């Protein structure tokens, strides 16, 4: 979603605004722009498409000045065009916005009735009009800003320049995050996340929900939603959170796939005590699963599939009923919740609008809430009763990979914790499962060795129009995740099905042009999945079978065998198979996309952190 940067600097800011916008590219965007205080009011440069287009505009028409704001836009209201690109401007006010102003139509009608003319189709532009009106009416800056914020419904993170206030940037957050960055020599920054200000400073203040700020040279006055002056702490983010580079990898996604042995290791270490051979005492002390009667997992996208995999573990190991639902449905369904239910939001960013709203709904219902989040300073992390961190590190590729396996790692550890606390497993069994979990980083590393085999098959796969993914048990949600990954980055239509459902419809799609990816570890369901492979092969379908046990694949007729490709995965305990098999499905999508030449890290129309409904 939209990215924001604001800088009060000591030297020309345009190059630094651009540098920051490049850091924000990962969030997904379709136009970009900057505005700089030039001495006679803020001036703008905007361009449709990539940042390099904006750079070209600025090269032609440079924008000197030491105070400025910048924005990458992910279109919601109005097509991606220069006209709709931020910053928006009216009278004395120039601003950028992330979020959606839900009452913009009503505000726009009111402003139009006064004769004001709008130059864009965006919801954002009304804010510029409202603030300009308040300032023209003679209100002091602070009062005018507060008054305007009080009129806005919906979600926003804002950065605003005002003509005549050369050393000031106004900022506000509600629903969309915003951080203050504290630089050297009185330089100050405002950003939509720590990565935005990362090239300039690691000292940041996370604004809280409803906060707004008057940023000046060397300082910031922060107010809460009621308008009271507040003091929010300054924290130092790690260099890795502040600066993320691709290194020698072609894409962030490739790098992040390869980081998984480390990111899983880090996450497992936060939950497991390898010496004692049990779940860490602090995790056990934070929640007693024997008091929980049911778990409701709420999430979106890839995080939803992590939750769907975890359901199998919680139910099988801990005997704990689990429901998993996409947050956008859950929040509007008026679900009937049972007392004693633990609501668990799963989210990489901790900011996804629907997941956050669903979490809040559960809190309002009086349920205990927990959040499995990768961004530990996120809104969900702060609002849930309990934060279960993942330690994937910053994930830049829009298609989630290491965040997914980190979520799986955390959730599998929690399932072991729940099983033990509910008396479903003995200390000995707990120690065994802990050992199995601790082996997963090594096995993930081995799975990365499947790269060359996968590259070989993706050449052909990249020509497909449709692909079907099949799996059983916890490989079923992994099949769904595999299909999502492929469509997200290669734009090939893909569907995941429970292998047992094949005969109930999808089999009608099978022909030589529709490859079927079968995820079949050597587990209790292997034979059943292998039968489904037979059914596909018998109909001339091309099968790519990912398994650690090729020797068990049933003998096929000579014709059918020609259409079967087996990709050998490392052998592993079925409990951690979702972690290990995530790697080949990620690599399959990645290399297919590379073959097709799509924009792997920033696939069309997609955003990393979906902070609007
Ligand atoms: C977007 C991203 C996905 C992600 C989903 C949920 O759709 O493109 O990769 O899985 O949002 O995001 P979250 O931050 O809540 O995990």
């Amino acid at each position: 979603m939209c990215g924001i940067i604001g800088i009060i600097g000591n030297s020309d800011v345009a190059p630094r605004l651009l540098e920051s916008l490049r850091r924000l590219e990962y969030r997904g965007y379709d136009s970009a722009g900057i505005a700089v205080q030039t001495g006679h009011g803020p001036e703008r440069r905007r361009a449709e498409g990539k940042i390099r287009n904006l750079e070209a505009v600025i090269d032609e028409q440079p924008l000197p000045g030491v105070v400025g704001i910048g924005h990458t836009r992910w279109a919601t209201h109005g097509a991606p065009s220069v006209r709709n690109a931020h910053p928006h401007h009216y009278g004395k006010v120039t601003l950028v916005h992330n979020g959606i102003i839900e009452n913009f139509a009503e505000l726009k009608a009111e402003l139009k009735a006064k004769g004001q003319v709008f130059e864009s189709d965006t919801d954002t532009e009304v804010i510029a009009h409202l603030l300009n009106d308040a300032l023209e009416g003679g209100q002091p800056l602070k009062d005018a800003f507060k008054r305007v914020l009080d009129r806005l419904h919906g979600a926003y993170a804002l950065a605003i320049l005002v003509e005549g206030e050369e050393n000031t940037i106004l900022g506000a957050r509600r629903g969309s995050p915003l951080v203050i960055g504290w630089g050297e020599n009185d330089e100050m920054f405002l950003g939509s996340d720590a990565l935005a200000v990362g090239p300039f400073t690691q000292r940041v203040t996370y604004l809280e929900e409803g906060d707004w700020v008057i940023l000046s040279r060397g300082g910031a006055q922060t107010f809460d939603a009621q308008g009271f002056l507040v003091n929010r702490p300054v924290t130092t983010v790690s260099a890795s959170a502040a600066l993320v580079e691709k290194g020698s990898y072609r894409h962030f996604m490739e790098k992040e796939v390869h980081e998984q042995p480390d990111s899983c290791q880090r996450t497992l270490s936060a939950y497991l005590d390898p010496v004692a051979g049990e779940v860490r005492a602090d995790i056990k002390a934070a929640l007693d699963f024997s008091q929980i009667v049911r778990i409701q997992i709420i999430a979106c996208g890839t995080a939803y599939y992590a939750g769907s995999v975890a359901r199998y573990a919680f139910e099988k190991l801990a005997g704990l009923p689990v429901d998993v639902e996409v947050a956008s449905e859950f929040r509007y369904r008026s679900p009937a919740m049972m007392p004693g239910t633990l609501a668990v939001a799963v989210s990489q960013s901790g900011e996804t609008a629907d997941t956050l709203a669903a979490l809040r709904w559960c809190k309002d219902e009086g349920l205990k809430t927990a959040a499995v989040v990768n961004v530990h300073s996120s809104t969900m992390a702060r609002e849930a009763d309990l934060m279960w961190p993942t330690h994937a590190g910053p994930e830049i590729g829009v298609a989630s990979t290491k965040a997914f396996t980190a979520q799986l790692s955390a959730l599998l550890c929690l399932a072991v914790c729940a099983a033990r606390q509910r008396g479903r497993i003995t200390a000995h069994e707990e120690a065994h499962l802990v050992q199995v979990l601790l082996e997963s980083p090594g096995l993930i590393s081995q799975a990365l060795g499947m790269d060359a085999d996968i590259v070989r098959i993706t050449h052909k796969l990249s020509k497909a129009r449709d692909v079907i993914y099949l799996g059983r048990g916890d490989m079923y949600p992994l099949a769904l995740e595999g299909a999502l990954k492929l469509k997200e980055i290669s734009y090939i239509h893909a569907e995941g099905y429970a292998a047992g459902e094949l005969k109930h419809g999808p089999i009608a799609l099978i022909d030589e042009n529709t490859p079927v990816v079968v995820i079949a570890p050597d587990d209790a369901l292997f034979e059943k999945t292998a039968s489904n492979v037979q059914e596909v092969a018998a109909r001339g379908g091309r099968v790519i079978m990912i398994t650690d046990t090729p020797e068990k694949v049933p003998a096929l007729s000579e014709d059918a065998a020609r259409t079967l490709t087996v990709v050998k995965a490392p052998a592993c305990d079925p409990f951690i198979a979702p972690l290990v098999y995530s790697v080949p499905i990620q690599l399959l999508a990645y290399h297919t996309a590379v073959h097709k030449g799509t924009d792997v890290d920033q696939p069309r129309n997609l955003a990393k952190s979906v902070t609007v409904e």
Side-chain angles (χ1 to χ4, degrees):
M1 298 267 121
C2 309
I4 290 179
I5 177 69
I7 305 178
I8 298 178
N10 296 327
S11 56
D12 270 354
V13 283
R16 285 197 283 171
L17 291 172
L18 286 169
E19 183 181 353
S20 175
L21 292 184
R22 273 191 291 271
R23 303 261 166 196
L24 291 168
E25 283 192 294
Y26 78 97
R27 295 165 72 100
Y29 72 107
D30 35 48
S31 59
I34 65 168
V36 170
Q37 290 278 17
T38 57
H40 28 266
E43 262 193 57
R44 301 178 283 174
R45 301 287 181 265
R46 299 177 294 169
E48 196 183 320
K50 295 289 179 192
I51 307 282
R52 59 176 174 273
N53 303 348
L54 176 63
E55 264 176 287
V57 174
I58 296 167
D59 281 348
E60 269 182 32
Q61 297 171 279
L63 212 44
V66 298
V67 175
I69 54 177
H71 188 264
T72 48
R73 173 175 188 250
W74 188 83
T76 58
H77 295 58
S81 61
V82 173
R83 202 168 66 86
N84 290 327
H86 298 215
H88 287 288
H89 167 81
Y90 188 73
K92 291 179 159 191
V93 179
T94 302
L95 58 80
V96 296
H97 165 222
N98 174 21
I100 290 179
I101 304 304
E102 287 170 359
N103 58 337
F104 86 99
E106 173 193 325
L107 295 169
K108 197 166 176 175
E110 173 192 315
L111 294 158
K112 275 183 161 174
K114 288 205 263 172
Q116 296 185 14
V117 177
F118 285 77
E119 60 169 33
S120 77
D121 308 315
T122 64
D123 52 331
T124 303
E125 201 182 341
V126 295
I127 311 172
H129 284 247
L130 288 174
L131 184 57
N132 185 65
D133 281 7
L135 293 169
E136 295 274 304
Q139 293 179 41
L141 188 64
K142 177 179 161 232
D143 299 350
F145 190 29
K146 167 84 171 78
R147 207 183 147 114
V148 170
L149 295 177
D150 287 345
R151 295 210 60 196
L152 305 178
H153 300 168
Y156 51 75
L158 294 166
I160 308 178
L161 299 178
V162 177
E163 190 181 321
E165 302 281 350
E166 298 287 321
N167 285 304
T168 301
I169 300 179
L170 303 176
R173 76 151 281 178
R174 191 202 288 161
S176 305
L178 197 65
V179 304
I180 299 172
W182 303 80
E184 298 292 313
N185 302 320
D186 287 347
E187 289 199 325
M188 294 296 293
F189 305 88
L190 207 55
S192 40
D193 58 27
L195 288 170
V197 301
F200 321 119
T201 181
Q202 284 167 244
R203 295 177 62 233
V204 301
T205 296
Y206 294 97
L207 291 180
E208 291 189 11
E209 189 64 356
D211 281 358
W212 48 287
V213 59
I214 303 178
L215 204 70
S216 52
R217 199 166 284 287
Q221 276 188 302
T222 305
F223 304 90
D224 67 10
Q226 283 69 46
F228 295 114
L229 200 59
V230 285
N231 210 343
R232 304 289 183 219
V234 181
T235 51
T236 303
V237 294
S238 68
S240 64
L243 283 176
V244 184
E245 306 284 353
K246 263 197 296 239
S248 57
Y249 291 98
R250 284 170 293 178
H251 299 99
F252 278 109
M253 182 180 173
E254 186 185 29
K255 175 174 177 257
E256 287 159 2
V257 166
H258 285 265
E259 279 173 354
Q260 291 178 110
D262 284 344
S263 49
C264 285
Q265 178 65 64
R266 279 197 302 272
T267 305
L268 293 170
S269 302
Y271 290 84
L272 303 177
D273 180 340
V275 179
E278 56 182 43
V279 173
R280 279 172 58 137
D282 53 335
I283 299 293
K284 284 184 171 164
L287 178 76
D288 182 358
F289 277 97
S290 68
Q291 302 303 308
I292 303 295
V293 298
R294 186 175 157 271
I295 293 179
Q296 173 67 59
I297 296 179
I298 35 190
C300 300
T302 290
Y304 167 72
Y305 294 131
S308 306
V309 170
R311 168 197 210 164
Y312 288 81
F314 275 106
E315 296 206 329
K316 185 172 177 198
L317 268 189
L320 194 50
V322 179
D323 279 320
V324 191
E325 190 163 354
V326 286
S328 54
E329 283 302 309
F330 177 87
R331 65 180 289 196
Y332 290 118
R333 195 169 58 82
S334 309
M337 301 304 274
M338 205 187 278
T341 299
L342 171 72
V344 180
V346 184
S347 174
Q348 188 284 126
S349 62
E351 303 292 348
T352 301
D354 284 319
T355 310
L356 180 58
L359 180 74
R360 285 176 176 160
W361 186 90
C362 292
K363 269 193 100 162
D364 290 347
E365 286 292 295
L367 299 181
K368 190 165 181 64
T369 57
V372 177
V373 285
N374 196 40
V375 180
H376 307 161
S377 55
S378 61
T379 311
M380 282 180 223
R382 278 184 275 128
E383 292 194 8
D385 299 321
L386 197 58
M387 197 252 284
W388 281 320
T390 56
H391 294 271
E395 191 180 62
I396 304 297
V398 165
S400 185
T401 52
K402 63 173 181 169
F404 176 68
T405 46
Q407 286 159 354
L408 289 181
S409 305
L411 289 163
L412 292 179
C413 293
L414 290 164
V416 174
C417 178
R420 182 78 180 111
Q421 288 180 330
R422 293 167 67 81
R424 294 285 181 135
I425 55 170
T426 62
H428 182 70
E429 286 164 327
E430 179 183 8
H432 170 69
L433 289 167
V434 166
Q435 183 53 35
V436 166
L437 281 164
L438 290 171
E439 282 164 12
S440 49
L443 288 161
I444 288 173
S445 181
Q446 281 184 40
L448 288 166
M450 300 166 76
D451 203 63
D453 289 346
I454 286 174
V455 170
R456 272 196 286 281
I457 51 178
T458 50
H459 183 65
K460 216 162 169 191
L461 198 68
S462 64
K463 308 273 186 307
R465 208 190 59 176
D466 310 284
V467 179
I468 292 176
Y469 283 70
L470 298 178
R472 277 178 187 262
D474 52 9
M475 294 298 122
Y476 165 44
L478 205 62
L480 296 172
E481 166 62 6
L484 174 68
K485 214 75 312 159
L486 189 73
K487 63 187 143 196
E488 275 185 308
I489 58 170
S490 75
Y491 315 149
I492 294 174
H493 170 239
E495 297 292 341
Y497 289 102
E501 268 293 296
L502 185 70
K503 286 191 274 297
H504 299 287
I507 200 160
L509 300 173
I510 304 293
D511 62 19
E512 65 280 12
N513 299 317
T514 309
V516 180
V517 178
V518 182
I519 313 170
D522 187 9
D523 59 15
L525 299 170
F526 178 83
E527 270 77 25
K528 296 195 184 302
T529 311
S531 304
N532 301 128
V533 170
Q534 297 270 25
E535 290 157 9
V536 173
R539 283 157 184 87
R542 275 203 289 136
V543 178
I544 296 166
M545 189 167 184
I546 306 175
T547 181
D548 51 342
T549 176
E551 63 285 357
K552 281 205 200 164
V553 178
L556 298 173
S557 70
E558 212 175 295
D559 274 357
R562 262 200 293 277
T563 62
L564 173 71
T565 308
V566 177
V567 190
K568 176 140 176 32
C572 63
D573 188 291
F575 184 53
I576 54 162
L579 279 168
V580 178
Y581 282 73
S582 292
V583 174
I585 63 155
Q586 294 164 353
L587 291 173
L588 201 64
Y590 174 72
H591 290 297
T592 305
V594 170
H595 268 305
K596 286 201 72 176
T598 52
D599 190 345
V600 172
D601 282 335
Q602 292 151 39
R604 70 182 176 210
N605 305 335
L606 294 182
K608 181 73 187 156
S609 175
V610 181
T611 48
V612 297
E613 276 190 51

